[in-house]
Amino acid sequence: MIETEVPKKNKSSFEKLVKVIRQRNYKKATEYTYLRYNLDFLLFADKPAEKVVTKDIEKYIEYLRKKKVSSSTIQINISSLKMFFEEVLDMNVFEDFRRPAREYKTPKVLNQKEITLLLETASESPRSHLLCALAYFGGLRVGEIIRLKWGQFDLSKKTIKVDSPIPTQNRTVVMDGELQKILKKFEKEVGTEKSSYLFPGKYQGTHLTSRNVERLVGDLAKSAGIKNQVTLFTLRHSRAIHQLAEGKSLEDIREFLGHKSLATTESYLPIRKNLRPQVRQKHIQDALKEIKKKYRY
């Protein structure tokens, strides 16, 4: 729960927000974010929530910008406030509010040499090696990796049935030779049981947390001498770019990554988002040529 005390003038409305969030069974982290951001706003506005107007929201967003809060965090703030005022308090303070455009940053890409260094460093631990291989060779997201159970693998067909936290992203991934090799090495080390997690957590019946996994990958990257921050998403994204460099189509990459829309896959390319369709297509082709030049083996 939030450590900061809720102002007396907002206790009643804030309790309503808590009640709605609890009814929706959000994850603890999501619950904390929604409550924290709304409380921060109420402390800034310094008035009862029921008296808030659009101008108060605009001033707050400007305040966050001056503090150099990231674009993505500002978007989450706005979503949190919209939920509170529209769905909990039934107020229309966002009716005339102009949401700022989201700024996109193209994720960092590791080159082939850096990937090799990272995987070699990770290979000292079968568990670390497999975590990195599932992200790079399998294209799996961190949430998909930590929830993997042995029963999702079909070693005869060389496939993984990926159950994503988002049902529309469920898919079957074909394992390439390198991933199969790393998996077999890990299997010898730990044994298998269909209902058990590949990466069990501290307590029985739990799996590793994404935070622990990302910390582990970050430490591996430092040990490998990679200066940039590295996450499992960096590996997933790097593999997609390397496949494009090898000549795979955007549609192939969409399927590999489990994207529902091709537009999501295109967002991995270093191109502006607000271009006319014809200009955008030219930018996409130019980006693909540049990727082939830079990352082809």
Side-chain angles (χ1 to χ4, degrees):
M1 192 56 184
I2 304 298
E3 304 83 16
T4 313
E5 191 176 344
V6 179
K8 199 178 279 187
K9 55 193 160 202
N10 283 306
K11 277 202 169 164
S12 172
S13 58
F14 203 76
E15 280 168 9
K16 288 180 189 172
L17 174 63
V18 172
K19 189 178 176 184
V20 169
I21 285 175
R22 295 270 162 83
Q23 284 171 344
R24 294 185 182 187
N25 290 320
Y26 287 137
K27 290 179 186 174
K28 288 289 178 192
T30 307
E31 179 181 308
Y32 179 85
T33 299
Y34 271 63
L35 296 177
R36 176 77 263 167
Y37 287 173
N38 275 293
L39 180 54
D40 285 348
F41 168 73
L42 292 172
L43 291 168
F44 173 85
D46 193 24
K47 60 166 69 171
E50 292 78 7
K51 294 191 174 178
V52 164
V53 294
T54 307
K55 199 79 179 163
D56 296 316
I57 308 278
E58 289 169 346
K59 281 180 185 173
Y60 184 60
I61 299 307
E62 190 54 37
Y63 161 74
L64 293 178
R65 276 179 172 157
K66 283 178 180 172
K67 277 183 67 182
K68 300 199 182 319
V69 171
S70 71
S71 169
S72 57
T73 301
I74 287 175
Q75 295 294 335
I76 298 167
N77 266 275
I78 293 169
S79 297
S80 302
L81 294 173
K82 271 177 74 71
M83 187 260 201
F84 180 36
F85 286 100
E86 291 185 347
E87 299 178 42
V88 178
L89 299 182
D90 197 23
M91 293 169 62
N92 63 353
V93 291
F94 281 90
E95 190 175 16
D96 298 319
F97 176 79
R98 290 186 66 186
R99 191 171 190 137
R102 184 188 289 271
E103 294 168 17
Y104 290 89
K105 288 183 182 176
T106 307
K108 298 279 183 195
V109 181
L110 298 183
N111 60 36
Q112 301 290 353
K113 186 181 176 184
E114 288 170 324
I115 288 291
T116 301
L117 279 170
L118 181 64
L119 290 172
E120 281 175 358
T121 304
S123 67
E124 293 173 20
S125 157
R127 183 182 75 160
S128 300
H129 205 193
L130 183 57
L131 279 167
C132 293
L134 285 164
Y136 183 70
F137 295 113
L140 273 64
R141 303 171 176 88
V142 62
E144 295 167 347
I145 291 171
I146 60 176
R147 289 175 177 80
L148 277 174
K149 292 184 176 180
W150 284 105
Q152 290 171 242
F153 289 82
D154 188 328
L155 297 178
S156 61
K157 292 181 180 175
K158 301 170 185 174
T159 59
I160 313 169
K161 186 185 174 191
V162 180
D163 293 328
S164 175
I166 302 169
T168 55
Q169 293 171 348
N170 291 347
R171 64 198 184 282
T172 298
V173 170
V174 177
M175 291 189 282
D176 79 349
E178 196 60 34
L179 179 53
Q180 289 173 58
K181 241 192 313 186
I182 295 167
L183 178 66
K184 281 175 184 171
K185 185 180 172 185
F186 182 69
E187 186 186 0
K188 279 181 191 172
E189 184 92 7
V190 301
T192 64
E193 189 183 317
K194 282 195 172 183
S195 61
S196 63
Y197 288 112
L198 260 73
F199 308 110
K202 189 176 177 181
Y203 302 105
Q204 190 173 359
T206 65
H207 53 68
L208 275 182
T209 65
S210 56
R211 184 175 296 177
N212 284 338
V213 170
E214 295 294 18
R215 190 182 297 127
L216 183 149
V217 173
D219 289 344
L220 283 171
K222 283 178 190 169
S223 299
I226 299 169
K227 290 178 183 176
N228 289 332
Q229 184 187 3
V230 176
T231 65
L232 281 181
F233 178 71
T234 312
L235 303 184
R236 171 178 150 89
H237 175 66
S238 297
R239 178 63 168 170
I241 296 299
H242 296 165
Q243 286 186 325
L244 286 171
E246 291 163 17
K248 290 277 178 77
S249 69
L250 275 169
E251 182 57 37
D252 289 334
I253 305 301
R254 184 194 69 76
E255 285 186 23
F256 172 72
L257 295 172
H259 289 158
K260 193 176 177 184
S261 163
L262 191 60
T264 308
T265 313
E266 288 175 358
S267 72
Y268 277 43
L269 304 177
I271 55 171
R272 283 171 52 202
K273 305 293 179 289
N274 56 346
L275 301 169
R276 286 182 291 109
Q278 300 92 323
V279 179
R280 182 175 169 77
Q281 279 307 311
K282 184 181 183 310
H283 275 240
I284 288 170
Q285 294 310 313
D286 288 345
L288 290 172
K289 280 179 194 170
E290 191 59 35
I291 285 167
K292 283 177 184 174
K293 202 188 298 178
K294 193 172 178 182
Y295 294 104
R296 186 180 279 161
Y297 285 110

